[in-house]
Amino acid sequence: MGIKVGIIGCGSIARHRHAPEYKANPHVEEIIFYDRKGERALSLANEYGGRAVKTVEELFDDPSIVAISDCSSNEAHHINTTNALLSGKHVLCEKPIAINVKYAEEILEAQRKSGKKLMVDHNQRFTKAHQKAKEIIDKKELGEVLTFKTSFGHQGPENWGVNKSNSTWFFKKERSHSGVAGDLGIHKIDLIHYLLDDEIEDVHSFYGALDKVDENGKPIEVCDNVVCAFKTQKGRLGTASFSWTYYGSEDNSTIIYCQFGILKIYHDPNAPLIIEKRDGSVKRYDLESIQTNDNQTNTGVIDAFINSILHDVEPPVTGEQAVASLRVVEKILGL
C-alpha cells in the first residue's frame, strides 16, 4: 500500500513539479487536489488520476492523507502549512516558507507541537552540480572558501504563472510580499548557506521595480531587481544579483573562489561544473543541466520528502534552514 498525499494550490508549481513528481514516486498511491478555483483542482486530478476536493478542510480532516504539499501563494503558507501540521500531516511547503520571519516562527512552533515532518522546497540543493560542488568544498580540495558571487535571473514570472499575464500574483505586494527577492533570491541564499555550511549575516543591498508593470500598465508594487553584497558568519564575502528582467537566456550561475582555485557552477552551458586551479589545470564535470522554466526535469525534492516520511529521518531542507534564508531576504529589503 502506498501513501496518499494532498496538494493545496494547483498553479504552475503544482502542475510542473509537485504533481508529476508525486505521480512518478512508487510509494505514492493517490494525489488529492485542492484549489480555491475548483476547476484547476479538477484539471490536475484528471491529468494525474487523482481526485479533487472542494474545501481545504477536507484535506486536513481526511485521516488517510499522510502528507500535504503547500503550493499556495506566499501569503497563505503560514495558514495552510500550520493547519496541515496541526491536523497531523507531514508538510512540504513551497518557498519562501512565509512572507516574514514572524509567520515562519508560527510554522516552526506548529511543527514542534505536531511532531510531523516539515520540509521546504529549496530545490537547488538537489542538483548534481551543486551536490558535487558541496562535496569538493567540504573536503577542502581547493582550500578555504574566500569569496563568492551568485546570480538568478530570467524574463519574469508572468511567463511562468498559470494565467501567463501581468496580473500574476507574483507582482502583488499583499500576495508575493518580497518580489524577486523571495522568488529567485531566496533560492541562492539557501544555496550559499548549503554550499558553504555558513550563514549570511551582514547585507548591503539595492532593489527596485525597474521595468515590470502590472495588468494596468503601472509599475509593480514589489522589486523586480536586487543587487547586494554579503558577509557571512565565517567572514566570507560575496555578491548577488536577482532579476526578473534578464530578457535573454536564464542565468542561474554561482562562482565560489577558494584559496587554490575556483568552482564555476552553471556558468558554462556545456559544463555544469568547472574547477579551475591556481596551477592552470581545468576539470569539467559533465553533469545534468539545471532545471529552467523551459526545461522541467525531476528535481528530487518529492522523492526526498517521501523518503524522510517512510524512513523517519530529518528532511534535507528543514524549517529552521528556510527561516535562516528568509531572515536574509528581510535584511535585503530592510524589513
Side-chain angles (χ1 to χ4, degrees):
M1 280 287 286
I3 64 176
K4 293 185 182 182
V5 299
I7 294 181
I8 300 171
C10 297
S12 291
I13 201 74
R15 177 176 292 282
H16 294 300
R17 304 272 171 87
H18 292 251
E21 291 185 29
Y22 278 127
K23 183 72 178 169
N25 186 289
H27 304 291
V28 173
E29 177 191 322
E30 186 184 20
I31 314 170
I32 298 97
F33 297 91
Y34 167 75
D35 192 279
R36 288 185 304 179
K37 296 180 177 168
E39 66 276 10
R40 282 189 191 171
L42 275 171
S43 167
L44 281 191
N46 290 334
E47 198 173 330
Y48 291 99
R51 60 188 165 90
V53 292
K54 289 192 167 64
T55 67
V56 73
E57 286 73 24
E58 288 176 75
L59 293 182
F60 300 150
D61 297 342
D62 185 338
S64 73
I65 295 174
V66 171
I68 285 177
S69 269
D70 183 358
C71 299
S72 58
S73 47
N74 298 354
E75 86 287 1
H77 288 174
H78 69 287
I79 300 165
N80 291 327
T81 290
T82 296
N83 288 339
L85 286 164
L86 294 178
S87 64
K89 314 301 184 193
H90 303 290
V91 180
L92 172 60
C93 180
E94 260 308 316
K95 55 79 209 165
I97 183 172
I99 58 170
N100 58 44
V101 169
K102 178 176 162 287
Y103 284 160
E105 297 285 3
E106 290 176 16
I107 293 173
L108 295 194
E109 183 55 34
Q111 191 257 326
R112 283 190 285 269
K113 249 187 214 163
S114 70
K116 295 297 173 181
K117 310 284 181 206
L118 169 65
M119 179 169 160
V120 182
D121 187 7
H122 286 295
N123 55 26
Q124 297 232 340
R125 295 176 177 228
F126 295 87
T127 76
K128 299 276 195 299
H130 289 148
Q131 291 189 337
K132 185 65 184 174
K134 180 166 176 60
E135 186 187 306
I136 290 164
I137 292 166
D138 284 351
K139 287 181 178 168
K140 297 197 182 345
E141 287 180 27
L142 298 173
E144 297 293 341
V145 171
L146 305 173
T147 62
F148 59 89
K149 61 183 179 190
T150 190
S151 179
F152 196 179
H154 57 46
Q155 298 196 17
E158 71 274 33
N159 305 297
W160 150 261
V162 169
N163 57 2
K164 300 281 186 291
S165 88
N166 285 34
S167 67
T168 174
W169 67 263
F170 284 97
F171 288 173
K172 309 294 179 198
K173 176 76 174 169
E174 74 276 6
R175 297 189 68 194
S176 144
H177 200 71
S178 51
V180 73
D183 179 34
L184 303 184
I186 204 162
H187 273 302
K188 290 304 189 189
I189 292 160
D190 177 74
L191 178 67
I192 292 298
H193 288 177
Y194 166 74
L195 288 178
L196 306 191
D197 189 25
D198 200 351
E199 216 169 286
I200 293 162
E201 195 168 55
D202 292 341
V203 175
H204 294 274
S205 63
F206 295 98
Y207 58 90
L210 307 185
D211 193 56
K212 294 297 185 191
V213 294
D214 65 16
E215 67 273 34
N216 302 311
K218 299 260 188 344
I220 63 171
E221 308 164 320
V222 291
C223 56
D224 59 19
N225 277 274
V226 176
V227 176
C228 39
F230 295 139
K231 185 178 182 182
T232 71
Q233 288 175 353
K234 294 179 183 175
R236 283 80 165 247
L237 307 179
T239 57
S241 307
F242 314 128
S243 179
W244 280 340
T245 64
Y246 285 2
Y247 297 127
S249 57
E250 183 169 314
D251 182 7
N252 207 333
S253 62
T254 301
I255 304 179
I256 311 286
Y257 300 89
C258 305
Q259 288 171 307
F260 311 126
I262 301 171
L263 296 98
K264 292 183 173 178
I265 314 167
Y266 299 118
H267 189 261
D268 180 327
N270 301 313
L273 178 61
I274 299 172
I275 309 296
E276 298 176 0
K277 292 195 174 170
R278 267 172 98 160
D279 63 10
S281 64
V282 177
K283 182 168 185 182
R284 291 166 174 268
Y285 290 86
D286 185 21
L287 303 153
E288 98 257 282
S289 57
I290 197 163
Q291 277 223 337
T292 65
N293 288 349
D294 303 321
N295 171 36
Q296 301 290 331
T297 53
N298 191 313
T299 60
V301 170
I302 299 295
D303 292 348
F305 176 53
I306 295 296
N307 181 69
S308 74
I309 295 167
L310 293 177
H311 296 101
D312 192 19
V313 293
E314 186 171 75
V317 191
T318 65
E320 285 80 7
Q321 289 167 337
V323 173
S325 297
L326 184 59
R327 203 169 276 120
V328 178
V329 168
E330 289 201 339
K331 287 180 179 179
I332 287 171
L333 300 176
L335 300 172

